[in-house]
C-alpha cells in the first residue's frame, strides 16, 4: 500500500539501473546488450504505454469510485498488455515515443482508447463495469483470466482496431479455432482503411504499399491471451525456461501477473530477473485537450524499469501474443513447437490443430466462452488464487 501513495517524481529516483551483465536483455521479442545498447533498452521501455492508478477521474457508473488506488492494479496491467497490442496494430513494434516529439494521430487514437472516462473503449470505467458480468463487483480485485475475458468483450466494440481476440482455455491453444476466428469473409475494417494524411506514411509499421495488401487480406490481426497456472503456491522451476522464451518471440505482448501482493506487467527478462512496469503509482487523471491530443508524459515510464526474481512470480499469469498476419501466426506456431524440444523447458500449454474431443464445443464468435467453460476456468483461477487476490488489495 505504501507504493500506492508514491508520486511519479518520487518513484523515478527509486529504481536502480540495469546490472552490468553479459546476459542479453530481452524486451518483447527484441534482444539487447546492456554494454552497447542501454539507451535503446530504456527508449524501448519508455515507449510502452504505462498505465497506473489514477485519482479524481469521473465516478465509475456515475456514483462509483473516482480512484482505483488499491484495487485497480490488475485492470491497469490488462490495459498495458492490450495497449501494446494496439501499438503493434496501429504504429508497429519499431515505433518509439520520444519526449517532446510530435506523434502521429494514430498514437493519440490508441492512447485515447484507454483514458479514464466512460466512453473510451478500454477505460477503467468500461473494464470495471463490464467485469460485473464476469461476477466482479466494481472495486473488486481481478485475476489475470478475468481481465482477459473482459478485454475480449470490450474489443468487439473497437471497430477501428478490428481485432480477433482469442483466450485459450484449459491450457490448450487450438489452431483451427484461431484460424476460424481470424479468417473473415470481408476485408479488414477500421484501423487504417482511411488513414489520415499524417499517418498515411505508415500502416501498422509498414510502408503504405504493404498496408494496401493487408487491407485486402482476409486475416484479422490476432490478440492471443493464454491464462495459465504454473504451480500451486509458487512457480514450478520447470516452466522458467519456457516463460523466458515467450519474451524472445517477436509476437510477444508480455505477461500479466505479479507477486503475492501486487500485479505487474512483465515485458522482458535479463538473466534470472523479470523486467516489468509497475502500476502502483497514483497519478492525477488526465483530461484530453481539444482536438484529441493529450498531455502524455505520465503515460510513459521514464525511469529504469523494475526487476524481480523469476522465482518470486505468482504462478497465476496470462501470457499474450500479437499476430498481425496469418504468416505471423504460422511462425508463432512453429516457434511453440520447437520449444517442446528445448532441454529443461516444460511446455506451459499445449498447441493442437483441432479441438480435443473431451472439450465442449467452441464458441469463438460469441462475446463470451461457453458459460460452463467460463465458470470452470473462473473457479480454477479465482478460487485457487484466493490468497493472491486478497493480498493484492
Amino acid at each position: 500500500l505504501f507504493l500506492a501513495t508514491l508520486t511519479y517524481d518520487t518513484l523515478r529516483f527509486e529504481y536502480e539501473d540495469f546490472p552490468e551483465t553479459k546476459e542479453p536483455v530481452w524486451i518483447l521479442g527484441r534482444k539487447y546488450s546492456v554494454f552497447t545498447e542501454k539507451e535503446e533498452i530504456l527508449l524501448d521501455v519508455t515507449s510502452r504505454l504505462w498505465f497506473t492508478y489514477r485519482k479524481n477521474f469521473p465516478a465509475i457508473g456515475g456514483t462509483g469510485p473516482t480512484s482505483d488506488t488499491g484495487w485497480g492494479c490488475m485492470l491497469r496491467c490488462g490495459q498495458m498488455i492490450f495497449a501494446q497490442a494496439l501499438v503493434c496494430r496501429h504504429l508497429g513494434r519499431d515505433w518509439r515515443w520520444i519526449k517532446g516529439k510530435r506523434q502521429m494521430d494514430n498514437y493519440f487514437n490508441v492512447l485515447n482508447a484507454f483514458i479514464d472516462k466512460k466512453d473510451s473503449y478500454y477505460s477503467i470505467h468500461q473494464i470495471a463495469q463490464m467485469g460485473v458480468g464476469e461476477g466482479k463487483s466494481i472495486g473488486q480485485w481481478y485475476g489475470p483470466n478475468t481481465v482477459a475475458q473482459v478485454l475480449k468483450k470490450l474489443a468487439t466494440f473497437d471497430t477501428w482496431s478490428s481485432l480477433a481476440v482469442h483466450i485459450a482455455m484449459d491450457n490448450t491453444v487450438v489452431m483451427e479455432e484461431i484460424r476460424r476466428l481470424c479468417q473473415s469473409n470481408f476485408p479488414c475494417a477500421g484501423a487504417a482503411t482511411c488513414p489520415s494524411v499524417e499517418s498515411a506514411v505508415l500502416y501498422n509499421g509498414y510502408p503504405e504499399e504493404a498496408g494496401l495488401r493487408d487491407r485486402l487480406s482476409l486475416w484479422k490481426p490476432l490478440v492471443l491471451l493464454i491464462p495459465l497456472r504454473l504451480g500451486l503456491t509458487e512457480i514450478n522451476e520447470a516452466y522458467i525456461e519456457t516463460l523466458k522464451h515467450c519474451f524472445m518471440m517477436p509476437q510477444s505482448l508480455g505477461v500479466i501477473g505479479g507477486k503475492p501482493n501486487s500485479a505487474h506487467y512483465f515485458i522482458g527478462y535479463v538473466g534470472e530477473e523479470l523486467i516489468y512496469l509497475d502500476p502502483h503509482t497514483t497519478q492525477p487523471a488526465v483530461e484530453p485537450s481539444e482536438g484529441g491530443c493529450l498531455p502524455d508524459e505520465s503515460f510513459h515510464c521514464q525511469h529504469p524499469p523494475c526487476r524481480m526474481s523469476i522465482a518470486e512470480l505468482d504462478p497465476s499469469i496470462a501470457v499474450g501474443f500479437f499476430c498481425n498476419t496469418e504468416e505471423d501466426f504460422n511462425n508463432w506456431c512453429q516457434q511453440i513447437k520447437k520449444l517442446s524440444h528445448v532441454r529443461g523447458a516444460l511446455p506451459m500449454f499445449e498447441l493442437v490443430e483441432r479441438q480435443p474431443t473431451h472439450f465442449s464445443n467452441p464458441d469463438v464468435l460469441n462475446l463470451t466462452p461457453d458459460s460452463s467453460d467460463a465458470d470452470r476456468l473462473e473457479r480454477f483461477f479465482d478460487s485457487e488464487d484466493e490468497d493472491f487476490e486478497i493480498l493484492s488489495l
Side-chain angles (χ1 to χ4, degrees):
L1 288 180
F2 172 68
L3 272 178
T5 65
L6 291 177
T7 65
Y8 173 74
D9 287 331
T10 305
L11 280 173
R12 67 186 302 166
F13 299 109
E14 294 292 321
Y15 297 114
E16 60 184 74
D17 208 344
F18 275 97
E20 298 294 320
T21 175
K22 294 180 180 178
E23 296 273 3
V25 176
W26 285 93
I27 304 289
L28 298 174
R30 298 296 169 88
K31 183 180 181 181
Y32 297 101
S33 165
V34 173
F35 294 111
T36 61
E37 299 174 295
K38 183 174 289 187
E39 290 301 315
E40 288 85 347
I41 295 171
L42 295 177
L43 182 58
D44 197 347
V45 172
T46 300
S47 298
R48 301 315 108 212
L49 286 174
W50 180 48
F51 297 120
T52 70
Y53 291 150
R54 296 276 175 172
K55 61 182 179 180
N56 301 325
F57 50 65
I60 296 175
T63 58
T66 58
S67 172
D68 62 312
T69 298
W71 60 271
C73 57
M74 182 57 79
L75 283 68
R76 296 301 185 180
C77 290
Q79 285 183 319
M80 285 190 272
I81 197 171
F82 224 75
Q84 179 57 22
L86 264 63
V87 165
C88 291
R89 170 78 175 103
H90 298 292
L91 302 171
R93 179 64 181 88
D94 291 330
W95 170 83
R96 294 292 181 267
W97 180 84
I98 298 174
K99 184 176 179 179
K101 178 183 177 182
R102 186 171 188 271
Q103 294 294 334
M104 62 179 64
D105 289 347
N106 275 355
Y107 162 75
F108 289 106
N109 291 338
V110 170
L111 188 52
N112 271 296
F114 296 89
I115 293 302
D116 300 322
K117 55 181 183 176
K118 64 179 182 179
D119 56 347
S120 296
Y121 289 131
Y122 309 104
S123 67
I124 193 84
H125 298 65
Q126 293 280 10
I127 296 174
Q129 292 187 288
M130 187 67 79
V132 173
E134 296 292 327
K136 297 290 185 181
S137 58
I138 294 175
Q140 187 175 357
W141 201 87
Y142 285 27
N145 175 62
T146 303
V147 76
Q149 298 287 354
V150 168
L151 288 166
K152 175 184 176 180
K153 289 182 179 181
L154 294 176
T156 63
F157 302 101
D158 180 7
T159 55
W160 176 61
S161 298
S162 190
L163 298 170
V165 181
H166 182 77
I167 301 174
M169 311 293 281
D170 295 307
N171 298 352
T172 305
V173 177
V174 183
M175 291 181 279
E176 184 182 63
E177 286 184 15
I178 291 174
R179 290 195 177 97
R180 181 164 54 242
L181 181 65
C182 293
Q183 290 171 341
S184 308
N185 293 321
F186 49 87
C188 191
T193 302
C194 299
S196 65
V197 173
E198 183 183 20
S199 62
V201 179
L202 293 177
Y203 175 82
N204 289 353
Y206 296 98
E208 176 63 11
E209 58 268 20
L212 291 171
R213 290 194 302 270
D214 287 349
R215 257 176 273 169
L216 299 175
S217 73
L218 298 181
W219 178 271
K220 291 178 71 174
L222 170 69
V223 176
L224 175 59
L225 300 173
I226 311 173
L228 299 167
R229 190 170 184 92
L230 305 180
L232 292 177
T233 58
E234 55 188 41
I235 187 170
N236 185 329
E237 290 184 2
Y239 292 117
I240 288 178
E241 284 304 311
T242 313
L243 182 63
K244 287 180 177 180
H245 274 78
C246 288
F247 292 110
M248 297 164 66
M249 297 178 185
Q251 298 86 354
S252 176
L253 289 178
V255 172
I256 55 175
K259 294 185 286 189
N261 62 345
S262 54
H264 302 315
Y265 172 41
F266 298 96
I267 58 174
Y269 80 94
V270 54
E272 298 304 313
E273 291 185 314
L274 293 172
I275 300 165
Y276 65 92
L277 296 178
D278 190 347
H280 298 87
T281 304
T282 300
Q283 303 188 84
V286 171
E287 284 291 328
S289 60
E290 288 189 22
C293 292
L294 288 163
D296 63 344
E297 287 188 25
S298 67
F299 294 100
H300 295 275
C301 182
Q302 296 173 64
H303 54 67
C306 309
R307 303 192 312 277
M308 62 172 259
S309 169
I310 298 178
E312 296 178 32
L313 181 68
D314 188 277
S316 178
I317 64 172
V319 184
F321 301 96
F322 176 76
C323 299
N324 194 42
T325 65
E326 186 171 11
E327 183 181 1
D328 286 341
F329 177 64
N330 292 336
N331 175 266
W332 178 83
C333 291
Q334 291 301 316
Q335 292 181 78
I336 295 298
K337 290 173 182 176
K338 288 179 182 178
L339 261 182
S340 62
H341 304 297
V342 175
R343 181 177 297 179
L346 186 67
M348 298 189 300
F349 54 87
E350 187 178 6
L351 180 66
V352 297
E353 180 61 41
R354 293 178 179 81
Q355 189 177 39
T357 55
H358 64 274
F359 276 26
S360 60
N361 289 330
D363 194 26
V364 294
L365 296 180
N366 288 345
L367 289 183
T368 55
D370 181 85
S371 58
S372 60
D373 280 350
D375 292 344
R376 176 159 42 87
L377 191 63
E378 205 54 58
R379 286 196 301 272
F380 175 73
F381 279 92
D382 285 347
S383 63
E384 296 197 21
D385 292 349
E386 186 175 353
D387 291 340
F388 178 41
E389 297 202 9
I390 290 173
L391 284 170
S392 298
L393 295 173

